[in-house]
Amino acid sequence: MTAAPGTVVVTGAGLALPGADTPDALLRAPAPAAGPFDTAPRIGHRGHRYKDRATRLALCAALDALRDAALVTGEDAALAVPGVTVGVVGSSNLGNLDTACLTAATIAEESACGLSPMSLPNASSNVIASWVAIRHGLRGPNLTLCNGPTSGLDALHWGATLVSAGRVRRAVVVGVETHNPVVEDLTGVPAAELLDGAAAVVVEDARWARERGARAAAVLGPYERRSGLGPCVAALLPQGPPPGIWFTPERHEEPADAGAPVPATVPRHDLSRAFGRASGALGVLQCAAAVGWLAAGGSGDALLTCGDDTADAVAGLLLRPVTGRGPGPGAPCAVSSVTSAISASSAMESP
């Protein structure tokens, strides 16, 4: 079966988390970790120089996702496709907060003369996505979302939109958060309850994935952003069967009455309870976990939801199993399409 125009699939996933090495491990209780995730073995000295922790974590997760998608090869992680065909979308609400605050404090105390030109770029909100692109020579569109608890799912949506609109053939979507005294002070949450890690996925046009012989792990289905969890889920599941699994918003509490938007028989997973409050990284972490669930034989759609009813913003996304899965360029990748919000008029540069 030939994939429909605009179909977007997930072809790779990567993690940089203590206690979970692979996407399927995200649904199990995390293994006891000796300490924070060590980024050195994965990205080496070059990956650490002049970079903050959030950027280093993102580089680790993105590298794993690119390898899983067979987009980089060899020990030097050489890019296997033209750089113009790959974009980057990052999501992080708090990742470089410490750098931004320290930079402002230095300017206030010493003027701009007290700043280091080597560390100043880390104060940019787009530094994480930029370093992922620079490290691997990814020359497609590059942007970062930092718009609150829905940010991770919003980033997946915009990565898929860039692909379905023809701006790029594939995109790396990475979500990362870390903890430090500045983040703890702002959020009022102890470090032990905050995520210190990253997740990344590669979203790709099914046609180009099939052409290069990549195996699709999941299909990106509809995305919705609504006021309230109930309306968001209702829009995603108007009359169809219930999902096979539900990844709930951070620290979601079920209502005492019968008002739950998803039947009680559907398994629930709140990844923030196992790995810490994930903020802008949660949606991408949910996507990686859903990929692991499907790979382990999960049946049905995975419902991903992020947001806060009190903030009047909830985002939801369906991740669907791949039909006709098989190896090689002739294998069909998917039979669903993703909603596009960008005109498809942009011409794709030839590979």
Side-chain angles (χ1 to χ4, degrees):
M1 182 179 297
T2 303
T7 299
V8 179
V9 296
V10 178
T11 54
L15 300 171
L17 284 171
D21 297 327
T22 58
D24 62 297
L26 293 172
L27 298 186
R28 303 191 295 266
F37 181 85
D38 186 2
T39 59
R42 198 172 299 179
I43 58 175
H45 176 74
R46 178 184 176 189
H48 282 77
R49 191 167 186 173
Y50 306 128
K51 299 176 183 67
D52 60 14
R53 177 154 178 81
T55 298
R56 298 197 300 266
L57 287 166
L59 285 170
C60 290
L63 175 59
D64 260 21
L66 288 165
R67 285 196 188 281
D68 191 41
L71 288 172
V72 298
T73 59
E75 293 186 3
D76 61 346
L79 191 62
V81 296
V84 293
T85 68
V86 191
V88 182
V89 182
S91 174
S92 184
N93 293 320
L94 307 166
N96 70 334
L97 179 65
D98 55 337
T99 302
C101 289
L102 291 172
T103 298
T106 299
I107 293 174
E109 295 176 6
E110 307 175 33
S111 81
C113 296
L115 298 175
S116 166
M118 297 296 100
S119 62
L120 189 57
N122 292 332
S124 166
S125 61
N126 200 47
V127 65
I128 294 167
S130 296
W131 270 120
V132 170
I134 291 168
R135 170 65 183 86
H136 296 288
L138 312 180
R139 295 189 283 119
N142 184 285
L143 65 151
T144 294
L145 279 75
C146 42
N147 60 326
T150 66
S151 185
L153 289 184
D154 296 338
L156 284 164
H157 168 64
W158 283 106
T161 297
L162 289 171
V163 171
S164 61
R167 293 291 305 277
V168 287
R169 295 181 177 179
R170 52 200 63 94
V172 182
V173 183
V174 58
V176 59
E177 298 291 2
T178 187
H179 57 67
N180 50 60
V182 176
V183 172
E184 291 177 61
D185 183 60
L186 177 70
T187 62
V189 178
E193 297 180 27
L194 292 168
L195 176 75
D196 181 58
V201 296
V202 173
V203 296
E204 186 165 6
D205 186 293
R207 177 169 62 124
W208 300 115
R210 185 172 57 249
E211 183 177 274
R212 66 183 185 88
R215 188 185 292 266
V219 179
L220 285 183
Y223 158 93
E224 291 287 344
R225 185 180 172 89
R226 296 294 177 98
S227 173
L229 181 61
C232 183
V233 173
L236 286 168
L237 305 167
Q239 295 178 340
I245 191 171
W246 178 24
F247 292 94
T248 70
E250 189 170 273
R251 308 302 162 100
H252 173 68
E253 297 291 342
E254 294 282 348
D257 54 19
V262 176
T265 54
V266 176
R268 276 98 157 123
H269 284 275
D270 181 354
L271 295 174
S272 73
R273 296 189 184 276
F275 298 96
R277 294 181 179 272
S279 191
L282 181 59
V284 187
L285 192 63
Q286 289 178 341
C287 185
V291 166
W293 175 74
L294 289 169
S299 177
D301 295 345
L303 172 62
L304 320 182
T305 52
C306 292
D308 187 349
D309 278 334
T310 63
D312 212 31
V314 176
L317 177 72
L318 288 181
L319 204 68
R320 292 175 163 157
V322 176
T323 59
R325 199 180 308 210
C333 284
V335 290
S336 183
S337 62
V338 67
T339 303
S340 175
I342 296 180
S343 169
S345 61
S346 300
M348 184 66 208
E349 293 190 51
S350 59

